Amino acid sequence: MILGMAENNADRLDEARQLIATALDLVVAADETLAAAELEQALDTVIRRGDELRFSSSSSHRRPSATQ
């Protein structure tokens, strides 16, 4: 009877370890997904800011028209 309980406890411990490993894998995947989303957002911001600077730079360097 004690041997059966020990085996049952060992099985539960193994199952708990597997669940913890799965949970850690999910946490890592979620962290990587979040990091990728943050990088994508930062890249979008850099591109948008670059476009804004290019637009403001090109509009400030316009030549005066002949009528001015």
Side-chain angles (χ1 to χ4, degrees), residues 13-29:
L13 181 59
D14 186 49
E15 184 180 356
R17 286 182 179 142
Q18 289 175 0
L19 290 172
I20 290 169
T22 300
L24 288 173
D25 289 343
L26 291 171
V27 167
V28 168

Side-chain angles (χ1 to χ4, degrees), residues 22-64:
T22 300
L24 288 173
D25 289 343
L26 291 171
V27 167
V28 168
D31 186 47
E32 289 172 351
T33 300
L34 179 60
E38 289 173 343
L39 285 173
E40 186 175 358
Q41 184 178 12
L43 180 59
D44 289 344
T45 301
V46 168
I47 291 170
R48 187 176 57 250
R49 184 65 181 137
D51 290 344
E52 291 169 358
L53 290 172
R54 213 173 329 164
F55 176 75
S56 68
S57 158
S58 66
S59 65
S60 67
H61 293 299
R62 280 194 252 152
R63 294 176 151 192

